[in-house]
Amino acid sequence: EVVATGPACAGWRVGDLVSYTPDCGAASAPPGVGSHWGGHASHHLVPVSMQPVLLPAGCDAKRYSIVELAAISLRGCLLAQPQRGETVVVVGLGPIGAFSAAWHASRGARVIVADVAPTRLARALANGAAVAVDTREADAERRIRALCPAGGADIVVDSAGKPATLELCARLVRRTPGAFRAPLGEALGRWPRLVCQANFLDPTPVEPHGFFPGEGVTLITPMDRNAEDRAAVVESIRRGDIDPDGFIDRVVPAAEAPALYPLLRDQPDRLFSVVVDWSAS
């Protein structure tokens, strides 16, 4: 909530509710505030792309707590441009993957989700996915292929960020129809899309001709989000296109948050997400 404004804040009003995550790694960060804060900082200078976005007046702020994270997944979805009736496979259903599956489903795509956690698979089904596959099963890859009408997906989203998962995702991309035979202009418009929607901490060597099926694939690597993406999420929540309650497990006072961090890290199947309430701090 905006509680005061200075001369550089023309246009903002006291009482405005905004969504805003500071880039704590920037040179403008307050002394002593680093990324280990998880973005919880107030006085901060930000680039234009990270400017605050206005929330609806009188809204329940908890429902809009998903904006910053959901916007990262939305950007990947908008770049992939899913078409109604296309098949999308999302591998890895942490928050980024869960939002990615929901965004693609909201645009009319048929979404297949894959993960090792039954609770996360169930959540994705409740939020619009058509089919869920447990990747612990021995025939999981063949199962996913069997569910794709073209033997592979039009869009594959890697939200896990591991070399082995990326290789799996590449194998799940459908082959370009008419590869090596279609006119160039026609082939370019029909390539499938591989969206790398995760942080890759380990090196991932790629041999292009063996890695990408068919003649080509559009490789999309969204890294973050901008103010337009974040404003689009706000509007999607306001219109009811996406229900934040389907992605929030628990709301806790700020004083209780440290006790939950180990659980989020070590037992992700038990706790998907936590909203920290700072209103009493």
Coordinates of all heavy atoms in Angstrom, one line a residue, residues 23-99:
D23 N 14.3 -5.7 -7.3 CA 15.4 -6.5 -7.7 C 16.5 -6.3 -6.6 O 17.3 -5.3 -6.7 CB 15.9 -6.1 -9.1 CG 17.1 -6.8 -9.5 OD1 17.5 -7.8 -8.8 OD2 17.7 -6.5 -10.6
C24 N 16.6 -7.2 -5.7 CA 17.5 -7.0 -4.5 C 19.0 -7.2 -4.9 O 19.9 -6.9 -4.2 CB 17.2 -7.9 -3.4 SG 15.7 -7.4 -2.5
G25 N 19.2 -7.6 -6.2 CA 20.6 -7.8 -6.6 C 21.1 -6.5 -7.3 O 22.3 -6.4 -7.6
A26 N 20.2 -5.5 -7.5 CA 20.6 -4.3 -8.2 C 21.5 -3.4 -7.3 O 21.5 -3.5 -6.1 CB 19.3 -3.6 -8.6
A27 N 22.2 -2.5 -8.0 CA 23.1 -1.6 -7.3 C 22.3 -0.7 -6.4 O 22.8 -0.1 -5.5 CB 23.9 -0.9 -8.3
S28 N 21.0 -0.5 -6.8 CA 20.2 0.4 -6.0 C 19.6 -0.1 -4.7 O 18.9 0.5 -4.0 CB 19.0 0.9 -6.9 OG 18.2 -0.2 -7.3
A29 N 19.9 -1.4 -4.4 CA 19.3 -2.0 -3.3 C 19.8 -1.3 -2.0 O 20.9 -0.8 -1.9 CB 19.7 -3.5 -3.2
P30 N 19.0 -1.3 -1.0 CA 19.4 -0.6 0.3 C 20.6 -1.4 0.9 O 20.7 -2.6 0.7 CB 18.1 -0.8 1.2 CG 17.0 -1.1 0.2 CD 17.6 -1.8 -0.9
P31 N 21.4 -0.7 1.6 CA 22.6 -1.4 2.3 C 22.1 -2.5 3.1 O 21.2 -2.4 3.9 CB 23.2 -0.2 3.1 CG 22.8 1.0 2.4 CD 21.4 0.8 1.9
G32 N 22.7 -3.7 3.0 CA 22.4 -4.8 3.8 C 21.3 -5.7 3.3 O 21.0 -6.7 3.9
V33 N 20.6 -5.3 2.2 CA 19.5 -6.0 1.7 C 20.0 -6.8 0.5 O 20.4 -6.2 -0.5 CB 18.3 -5.1 1.3 CG1 17.2 -6.0 0.7 CG2 17.8 -4.4 2.6
G34 N 19.9 -8.1 0.5 CA 20.4 -8.9 -0.6 C 19.3 -9.9 -1.0 O 18.2 -9.9 -0.5
S35 N 19.6 -10.8 -1.9 CA 18.6 -11.7 -2.5 C 18.1 -12.7 -1.4 O 17.0 -13.2 -1.6 CB 19.2 -12.4 -3.7 OG 20.3 -13.2 -3.3
H36 N 18.8 -12.9 -0.4 CA 18.4 -13.8 0.7 C 17.1 -13.3 1.4 O 16.5 -14.0 2.1 CB 19.5 -14.0 1.7 CG 19.9 -12.8 2.5 ND1 20.8 -11.9 1.9 CD2 19.6 -12.3 3.7 CE1 21.0 -10.9 2.8 NE2 20.3 -11.2 3.9
W37 N 16.8 -12.0 1.2 CA 15.5 -11.5 1.7 C 14.3 -12.0 1.0 O 13.2 -11.8 1.4 CB 15.6 -9.9 1.7 CG 16.4 -9.3 2.7 CD1 17.7 -9.4 2.9 CD2 15.9 -8.4 3.8 NE1 18.1 -8.7 4.0 CE2 17.0 -8.1 4.6 CE3 14.6 -8.0 4.1 CZ2 16.9 -7.2 5.7 CZ3 14.5 -7.1 5.2 CH2 15.6 -6.8 6.0
G38 N 14.5 -12.6 -0.2 CA 13.4 -13.1 -1.0 C 12.6 -11.9 -1.6 O 11.4 -12.1 -1.9
G39 N 13.2 -10.8 -1.7 CA 12.5 -9.7 -2.3 C 11.7 -8.8 -1.3 O 11.0 -7.9 -1.7
H40 N 11.8 -9.1 0.0 CA 11.0 -8.4 0.9 C 11.8 -7.1 1.3 O 12.6 -7.1 2.3 CB 10.7 -9.2 2.2 CG 9.9 -10.4 1.9 ND1 8.7 -10.4 1.3 CD2 10.1 -11.7 2.1 CE1 8.2 -11.6 1.2 NE2 9.0 -12.4 1.7
A41 N 11.6 -6.1 0.5 CA 12.2 -4.8 0.8 C 11.2 -3.7 0.5 O 10.4 -3.9 -0.4 CB 13.5 -4.6 0.0
S42 N 11.3 -2.6 1.1 CA 10.4 -1.5 0.9 C 11.0 -0.3 0.2 O 10.7 -0.1 -1.0 CB 9.7 -1.1 2.2 OG 10.7 -0.7 3.1
H43 N 11.9 0.4 0.8 CA 12.5 1.5 0.2 C 13.4 1.1 -0.9 O 14.4 0.4 -0.6 CB 13.2 2.4 1.2 CG 12.3 2.9 2.3 ND1 12.0 2.2 3.4 CD2 11.5 4.1 2.3 CE1 11.1 2.9 4.1 NE2 10.9 4.0 3.5
H44 N 13.2 1.4 -2.1 CA 13.9 0.8 -3.2 C 13.8 1.6 -4.5 O 12.7 2.1 -4.8 CB 13.4 -0.6 -3.4 CG 14.5 -1.6 -4.0 ND1 15.5 -1.1 -4.8 CD2 14.6 -2.9 -3.9 CE1 16.3 -2.2 -5.1 NE2 15.8 -3.3 -4.5
L45 N 14.8 1.7 -5.3 CA 14.7 2.2 -6.6 C 14.7 1.1 -7.6 O 15.5 0.1 -7.5 CB 15.9 3.1 -6.9 CG 16.1 4.3 -5.9 CD1 17.4 5.0 -6.2 CD2 15.0 5.3 -6.0
V46 N 13.8 1.2 -8.6 CA 13.7 0.0 -9.5 C 13.8 0.5 -11.0 O 13.4 1.6 -11.3 CB 12.4 -0.7 -9.3 CG1 12.3 -1.4 -8.0 CG2 11.2 0.3 -9.5
P47 N 14.2 -0.4 -11.9 CA 14.1 0.0 -13.3 C 12.6 0.0 -13.8 O 11.7 -0.5 -13.1 CB 14.8 -1.2 -14.0 CG 14.8 -2.3 -13.0 CD 14.8 -1.7 -11.7
V48 N 12.4 0.6 -14.9 CA 11.0 0.8 -15.4 C 10.3 -0.5 -15.5 O 9.1 -0.6 -15.2 CB 11.0 1.6 -16.7 CG1 9.6 1.6 -17.3 CG2 11.5 3.0 -16.6
S49 N 11.0 -1.6 -15.9 CA 10.4 -2.9 -16.1 C 9.8 -3.4 -14.8 O 8.9 -4.3 -14.8 CB 11.4 -3.9 -16.7 OG 12.4 -4.1 -15.9
M50 N 10.4 -3.0 -13.7 CA 9.9 -3.5 -12.4 C 9.1 -2.5 -11.6 O 9.0 -2.5 -10.4 CB 11.1 -3.9 -11.6 CG 11.8 -5.2 -12.1 SD 10.7 -6.5 -12.5 CE 10.1 -6.9 -10.8
Q51 N 8.5 -1.5 -12.3 CA 7.7 -0.5 -11.7 C 6.5 -1.1 -11.0 O 6.1 -2.2 -11.5 CB 7.3 0.6 -12.6 CG 6.3 0.1 -13.7 CD 6.0 1.2 -14.7 OE1 6.8 1.9 -15.1 NE2 4.7 1.4 -15.0
P52 N 6.0 -0.5 -10.0 CA 4.8 -1.1 -9.4 C 3.6 -1.1 -10.4 O 3.5 -0.3 -11.3 CB 4.5 -0.1 -8.2 CG 5.8 0.6 -8.0 CD 6.5 0.6 -9.3
V53 N 2.7 -2.1 -10.2 CA 1.5 -2.2 -11.0 C 0.3 -2.1 -10.1 O 0.3 -2.7 -9.0 CB 1.4 -3.5 -11.9 CG1 2.5 -3.5 -12.9 CG2 1.5 -4.7 -11.1
L54 N -0.7 -1.3 -10.5 CA -1.8 -1.0 -9.6 C -2.7 -2.2 -9.5 O -3.1 -2.9 -10.5 CB -2.6 0.2 -10.2 CG -3.7 0.7 -9.4 CD1 -3.2 1.3 -8.1 CD2 -4.5 1.7 -10.2
L55 N -3.2 -2.5 -8.3 CA -4.2 -3.5 -8.0 C -5.6 -2.9 -8.0 O -5.7 -1.7 -7.7 CB -3.9 -4.2 -6.7 CG -2.5 -4.9 -6.6 CD1 -2.5 -5.6 -5.2 CD2 -2.2 -5.8 -7.7
P56 N -6.7 -3.6 -8.2 CA -8.0 -3.0 -8.1 C -8.3 -2.5 -6.7 O -7.9 -3.0 -5.7 CB -8.9 -4.2 -8.4 CG -8.1 -5.2 -9.2 CD -6.7 -5.0 -8.6
A57 N -8.9 -1.3 -6.7 CA -9.2 -0.7 -5.4 C -10.1 -1.6 -4.6 O -11.1 -2.2 -5.0 CB -10.0 0.7 -5.7
G58 N -9.7 -1.7 -3.3 CA -10.5 -2.4 -2.3 C -10.4 -3.9 -2.5 O -11.2 -4.7 -1.9
C59 N -9.4 -4.4 -3.2 CA -9.3 -5.9 -3.5 C -8.7 -6.6 -2.2 O -8.1 -5.9 -1.3 CB -8.4 -6.1 -4.7 SG -6.6 -5.8 -4.4
D60 N -8.8 -7.9 -2.2 CA -8.2 -8.7 -1.2 C -6.7 -8.9 -1.7 O -6.5 -9.6 -2.7 CB -8.9 -10.1 -1.1 CG -8.3 -11.0 -0.2 OD1 -7.2 -10.7 0.4 OD2 -8.8 -12.1 0.0
A61 N -5.8 -8.3 -1.0 CA -4.4 -8.3 -1.4 C -3.8 -9.7 -1.5 O -3.0 -10.0 -2.3 CB -3.5 -7.5 -0.5
K62 N -4.3 -10.6 -0.7 CA -3.8 -12.0 -0.7 C -4.0 -12.6 -2.1 O -3.2 -13.4 -2.6 CB -4.6 -12.8 0.4 CG -4.1 -14.3 0.5 CD -5.0 -15.2 1.1 CE -6.2 -15.6 0.2 NZ -7.0 -16.7 0.8
R63 N -5.2 -12.4 -2.7 CA -5.4 -13.0 -4.0 C -4.5 -12.5 -5.1 O -4.2 -13.2 -6.1 CB -6.9 -12.7 -4.4 CG -7.9 -13.4 -3.6 CD -9.3 -13.0 -4.1 NE -9.6 -13.2 -5.5 CZ -9.8 -14.4 -6.1 NH1 -9.8 -15.5 -5.3 NH2 -10.0 -14.5 -7.3
Y64 N -3.9 -11.3 -4.9 CA -2.9 -10.8 -5.8 C -1.5 -11.1 -5.4 O -0.5 -10.6 -6.1 CB -3.2 -9.3 -6.0 CG -4.5 -9.1 -6.8 CD1 -5.7 -9.0 -6.1 CD2 -4.5 -8.9 -8.1 CE1 -6.9 -8.8 -6.7 CE2 -5.7 -8.7 -8.8 CZ -6.9 -8.7 -8.1 OH -8.1 -8.5 -8.7
S65 N -1.2 -11.8 -4.4 CA 0.1 -12.1 -4.0 C 0.8 -13.0 -5.0 O 2.0 -13.2 -5.0 CB 0.1 -12.8 -2.6 OG -0.6 -14.0 -2.7
I66 N 0.1 -13.6 -5.9 CA 0.7 -14.5 -6.9 C 1.2 -13.8 -8.1 O 1.8 -14.4 -9.0 CB -0.3 -15.6 -7.4 CG1 -1.4 -15.0 -8.2 CG2 -0.9 -16.4 -6.2 CD1 -2.3 -16.0 -8.9
V67 N 0.9 -12.5 -8.2 CA 1.2 -11.8 -9.5 C 2.6 -11.9 -10.0 O 2.8 -12.2 -11.1 CB 0.8 -10.3 -9.3 CG1 1.3 -9.4 -10.5 CG2 -0.7 -10.1 -9.2
E68 N 3.6 -11.6 -9.1 CA 5.0 -11.6 -9.6 C 5.4 -12.9 -10.1 O 6.1 -13.0 -11.1 CB 5.9 -11.1 -8.4 CG 5.5 -9.7 -7.9 CD 5.5 -8.7 -8.9 OE1 6.3 -8.7 -9.9 OE2 4.7 -7.7 -8.9
L69 N 5.1 -14.0 -9.4 CA 5.5 -15.3 -9.8 C 4.7 -15.8 -11.1 O 5.3 -16.3 -12.0 CB 5.3 -16.3 -8.7 CG 6.1 -17.6 -8.7 CD1 7.6 -17.4 -8.8 CD2 5.8 -18.5 -7.5
A70 N 3.4 -15.6 -11.0 CA 2.6 -16.0 -12.2 C 3.0 -15.3 -13.5 O 2.8 -15.8 -14.6 CB 1.1 -15.8 -11.9
A71 N 3.5 -14.1 -13.3 CA 3.9 -13.3 -14.5 C 5.1 -13.9 -15.3 O 5.2 -13.8 -16.5 CB 4.2 -11.8 -14.1
I72 N 6.0 -14.6 -14.5 CA 7.1 -15.2 -15.2 C 6.6 -16.3 -16.1 O 7.0 -16.4 -17.3 CB 8.0 -15.8 -14.1 CG1 8.6 -14.7 -13.3 CG2 9.2 -16.6 -14.8 CD1 9.4 -15.2 -12.1
S73 N 5.6 -17.1 -15.6 CA 5.1 -18.2 -16.4 C 4.2 -17.6 -17.6 O 4.2 -18.2 -18.7 CB 4.2 -19.1 -15.6 OG 5.0 -19.7 -14.5
L74 N 3.5 -16.6 -17.3 CA 2.7 -16.0 -18.3 C 3.5 -15.5 -19.5 O 3.2 -15.7 -20.7 CB 1.9 -14.8 -17.8 CG 1.0 -14.0 -18.8 CD1 0.0 -15.0 -19.5 CD2 0.3 -12.8 -18.2
R75 N 4.7 -14.9 -19.2 CA 5.6 -14.5 -20.3 C 6.0 -15.6 -21.2 O 6.0 -15.5 -22.4 CB 6.8 -13.8 -19.8 CG 7.7 -13.2 -20.9 CD 8.7 -12.2 -20.3 NE 9.4 -11.5 -21.4 CZ 9.0 -10.4 -22.0 NH1 7.8 -9.9 -21.6 NH2 9.7 -9.9 -22.9
G76 N 6.3 -16.8 -20.6 CA 6.7 -17.9 -21.4 C 5.5 -18.4 -22.3 O 5.7 -18.8 -23.4
C77 N 4.3 -18.4 -21.7 CA 3.1 -18.8 -22.4 C 2.8 -17.8 -23.6 O 2.6 -18.3 -24.7 CB 1.9 -18.8 -21.5 SG 0.3 -19.2 -22.3
L78 N 2.9 -16.5 -23.4 CA 2.7 -15.5 -24.4 C 3.7 -15.7 -25.6 O 3.4 -15.5 -26.7 CB 2.7 -14.1 -23.9 CG 1.6 -13.8 -22.8 CD1 1.7 -12.4 -22.3 CD2 0.2 -14.0 -23.5
L79 N 4.9 -16.0 -25.2 CA 6.0 -16.1 -26.2 C 5.7 -17.4 -27.1 O 6.0 -17.4 -28.3 CB 7.4 -16.2 -25.6 CG 7.9 -14.9 -25.0 CD1 9.1 -15.1 -24.2 CD2 8.2 -13.9 -26.1
A80 N 5.2 -18.4 -26.4 CA 4.9 -19.7 -27.1 C 3.7 -19.6 -28.0 O 3.6 -20.4 -29.0 CB 4.8 -20.8 -26.1
Q81 N 2.8 -18.7 -27.7 CA 1.6 -18.4 -28.5 C 0.8 -19.7 -28.7 O 0.6 -20.1 -29.9 CB 1.9 -17.8 -29.9 CG 2.6 -16.4 -29.8 CD 2.8 -15.8 -31.1 OE1 3.0 -16.4 -32.1 NE2 2.8 -14.5 -31.1
P82 N 0.3 -20.4 -27.7 CA -0.5 -21.6 -27.9 C -1.8 -21.3 -28.6 O -2.4 -20.2 -28.4 CB -0.8 -22.0 -26.4 CG -0.7 -20.7 -25.6 CD 0.4 -19.9 -26.3
Q83 N -2.2 -22.2 -29.5 CA -3.4 -22.0 -30.2 C -4.4 -23.0 -29.7 O -4.1 -24.1 -29.2 CB -3.2 -22.3 -31.7 CG -2.1 -21.4 -32.3 CD -2.4 -20.0 -32.3 OE1 -3.5 -19.6 -32.7 NE2 -1.5 -19.2 -31.7
R84 N -5.7 -22.6 -29.8 CA -6.8 -23.5 -29.3 C -6.7 -24.9 -30.0 O -6.5 -25.0 -31.2 CB -8.1 -22.9 -29.6 CG -9.3 -23.6 -29.0 CD -10.6 -22.8 -29.1 NE -10.5 -21.6 -28.2 CZ -10.7 -21.7 -26.9 NH1 -11.1 -22.8 -26.3 NH2 -10.6 -20.6 -26.2
G85 N -6.7 -25.9 -29.2 CA -6.6 -27.3 -29.7 C -5.2 -27.8 -29.8 O -5.1 -29.1 -30.0
E86 N -4.2 -27.0 -29.6 CA -2.8 -27.6 -29.6 C -2.6 -28.4 -28.3 O -3.2 -28.2 -27.3 CB -1.8 -26.5 -29.7 CG -1.7 -25.9 -31.1 CD -0.5 -25.0 -31.3 OE1 -0.2 -24.1 -30.4 OE2 0.2 -25.1 -32.3
T87 N -1.6 -29.3 -28.4 CA -1.2 -30.1 -27.3 C 0.0 -29.5 -26.6 O 1.0 -29.3 -27.3 CB -1.0 -31.6 -27.7 OG1 -2.2 -32.1 -28.2 CG2 -0.5 -32.4 -26.5
V88 N 0.0 -29.3 -25.3 CA 1.1 -28.7 -24.6 C 1.5 -29.7 -23.5 O 0.6 -30.3 -22.8 CB 0.7 -27.4 -23.9 CG1 1.9 -26.8 -23.1 CG2 0.3 -26.4 -25.0
V89 N 2.8 -30.0 -23.3 CA 3.3 -30.8 -22.2 C 4.1 -30.0 -21.3 O 5.0 -29.2 -21.7 CB 4.1 -32.0 -22.7 CG1 4.8 -32.7 -21.6 CG2 3.3 -33.0 -23.6
V90 N 3.8 -30.0 -20.0 CA 4.5 -29.2 -19.0 C 5.2 -30.2 -18.1 O 4.5 -31.0 -17.4 CB 3.6 -28.3 -18.2 CG1 4.4 -27.5 -17.1 CG2 2.9 -27.3 -19.1
V91 N 6.5 -30.2 -18.0 CA 7.2 -31.1 -17.1 C 7.8 -30.4 -16.0 O 8.6 -29.4 -16.1 CB 8.4 -31.8 -17.9 CG1 9.1 -32.8 -17.0 CG2 7.8 -32.5 -19.1
G92 N 7.4 -30.8 -14.7 CA 7.8 -30.1 -13.5 C 6.7 -29.1 -13.1 O 6.4 -28.1 -13.8
L93 N 6.2 -29.4 -11.9 CA 5.0 -28.7 -11.4 C 5.2 -27.9 -10.1 O 4.4 -27.9 -9.2 CB 3.8 -29.6 -11.3 CG 3.3 -30.2 -12.7 CD1 2.2 -31.2 -12.4 CD2 2.8 -29.1 -13.6
G94 N 6.4 -27.3 -10.0 CA 6.5 -26.3 -8.9 C 5.7 -25.1 -9.3 O 4.9 -25.2 -10.3
P95 N 5.7 -24.1 -8.6 CA 4.9 -22.9 -8.9 C 5.0 -22.4 -10.4 O 4.0 -22.1 -11.0 CB 5.3 -21.9 -7.9 CG 5.7 -22.7 -6.7 CD 6.4 -23.9 -7.3
I96 N 6.2 -22.3 -10.9 CA 6.4 -21.9 -12.3 C 5.7 -22.8 -13.2 O 5.0 -22.4 -14.1 CB 7.9 -21.7 -12.6 CG1 8.5 -20.6 -11.8 CG2 8.1 -21.4 -14.1 CD1 8.0 -19.2 -12.0
G97 N 5.9 -24.1 -13.1 CA 5.3 -25.1 -14.0 C 3.8 -25.1 -13.8 O 3.0 -25.2 -14.8
A98 N 3.3 -25.0 -12.5 CA 1.9 -25.0 -12.3 C 1.2 -23.8 -12.9 O 0.1 -24.0 -13.6 CB 1.6 -25.0 -10.8
F99 N 1.8 -22.7 -12.8 CA 1.2 -21.5 -13.5 C 1.3 -21.6 -15.0 O 0.3 -21.2 -15.7 CB 1.9 -20.2 -13.0 CG 1.5 -19.7 -11.7 CD1 2.4 -19.6 -10.7 CD2 0.2 -19.4 -11.4 CE1 2.0 -19.1 -9.4 CE2 -0.2 -19.0 -10.1 CZ 0.7 -18.8 -9.1

